[in-house]
Every structure is written in C-alpha cells, then in structure tokens.
Amino acid sequence: MSDANPWSVIQFIAEKRIEEAQSKGEFDNLPGRGRPLELEDMSHVPEELRMAYKILRNAGCLPPELAERKEISRLADMLEHCEDEQERVRQMQKLRFMIQRARMRRQRSIQIEQDDPYYARLLERITVLDKRH
C-alpha cells in the first residue's frame, strides 16, 4: 500500500484547474475584484459556538449576546453625536448598565433555557426550515 497522501493528488488537480482558469481569464470580472475581502470576525465568540452562531445568523436569528453587543455598539455611536446633555447622561447610564450585564453574562455559561424568548424563536425557525425540506 502506498504512503502517498490522497489529498495531495486532489490538491494538485485543484491547483492545475485554478491555474487553467486564471490563464483563460475566468477570474477577471468577479464581483468585488480589487477590493479587500470582508472577513467575518468571530473572535469574541467561543470557538465551540462559532458554527452554531453562524447557522443562527444565516437563519435570521441573533443570539441575545450578539444582539446586546450590537445594541452597545449602536448606543456608543449615538453618544458620539448626541448634543443634548440630559439625553447623553441617560444614554450613558443605559450603556453602563448594558456593559455590566454583558460582563455578568460572560461569567456564566451560555445556555438557552425553555423560558427564554430566544428559545421559542429558535424552535419556530427550525420548524419552518424543516417544513421546507
């Protein structure tokens, strides 16, 4: 039996086909050409949850932790442009509260309980997807 890596053969074939396509100009007019790739930063999500979060995002569901992070970011942006001093103080208090709550959540394990509103939404989405297939 040969010790050759079967993946090296597949890699060789793939590289050859890519080179052929490049020489034919098949990659010349792709959308986004000349612009940097928009890579998704999921460094804030634990590695074991990244795939699940990606599936949920593609299904249109946003986990509470990410929704909260988005809201914190939105509030911080809004504070930069807020000119009313009283409104700014209110929003800063809200932002401080949300940051504290986010910190507390990170200290506990992430679980979706049955009484969590996100749990019902998730089940609803999964049911809809199952009916389609």
Side-chain angles (χ1 to χ4, degrees):
M1 197 171 237
S2 172
D3 287 339
N5 183 352
W7 292 110
S8 63
V9 173
I10 294 171
Q11 183 177 358
F12 175 78
I13 293 170
E15 290 293 330
K16 265 306 200 200
R17 291 203 176 152
I18 290 171
E19 287 173 13
E20 289 170 7
Q22 281 178 322
S23 67
K24 291 178 185 175
E26 293 180 16
F27 299 134
D28 290 349
N29 296 318
L30 293 176
R33 180 174 184 229
R35 292 183 299 208
L37 293 175
E38 293 179 24
L39 300 176
E40 186 176 348
D41 178 24
M42 293 191 77
S43 59
H44 60 281
V45 177
E47 195 171 323
E48 66 273 7
L49 296 176
R50 288 180 187 165
M51 183 59 71
Y53 274 31
K54 196 170 199 166
I55 291 169
L56 291 172
R57 188 202 63 228
N58 291 344
C61 294
L62 192 62
E65 294 84 6
L66 294 182
E68 186 173 57
R69 184 184 193 96
K70 191 174 183 177
E71 178 66 12
I72 288 171
S73 179
R74 188 191 67 76
L75 273 174
D77 288 343
M78 189 183 79
L79 278 172
E80 287 182 30
H81 305 291
C82 185
E83 294 182 18
D84 180 15
E85 194 61 34
Q86 289 180 340
E87 181 64 22
R88 182 183 291 232
V89 169
R90 277 194 299 273
Q91 295 305 324
M92 285 175 65
Q93 289 173 337
K94 184 176 179 180
L95 182 60
R96 226 178 271 125
F97 171 76
M98 291 183 75
I99 290 171
Q100 183 63 32
R101 188 171 60 186
R103 285 183 181 151
M104 289 172 47
R105 276 194 178 150
R106 280 192 209 129
Q107 292 175 357
R108 67 176 174 85
S109 63
I110 298 172
Q111 295 179 347
I112 300 174
E113 307 280 333
Q114 283 188 350
D115 59 340
D116 189 334
Y118 181 65
Y119 180 84
R121 237 178 108 200
L122 179 60
L123 284 179
E124 189 177 301
R125 290 283 183 157
I126 291 172
T127 305
V128 168
L129 290 175
D130 281 346
K131 288 178 181 177
R132 289 182 190 168
H133 297 287

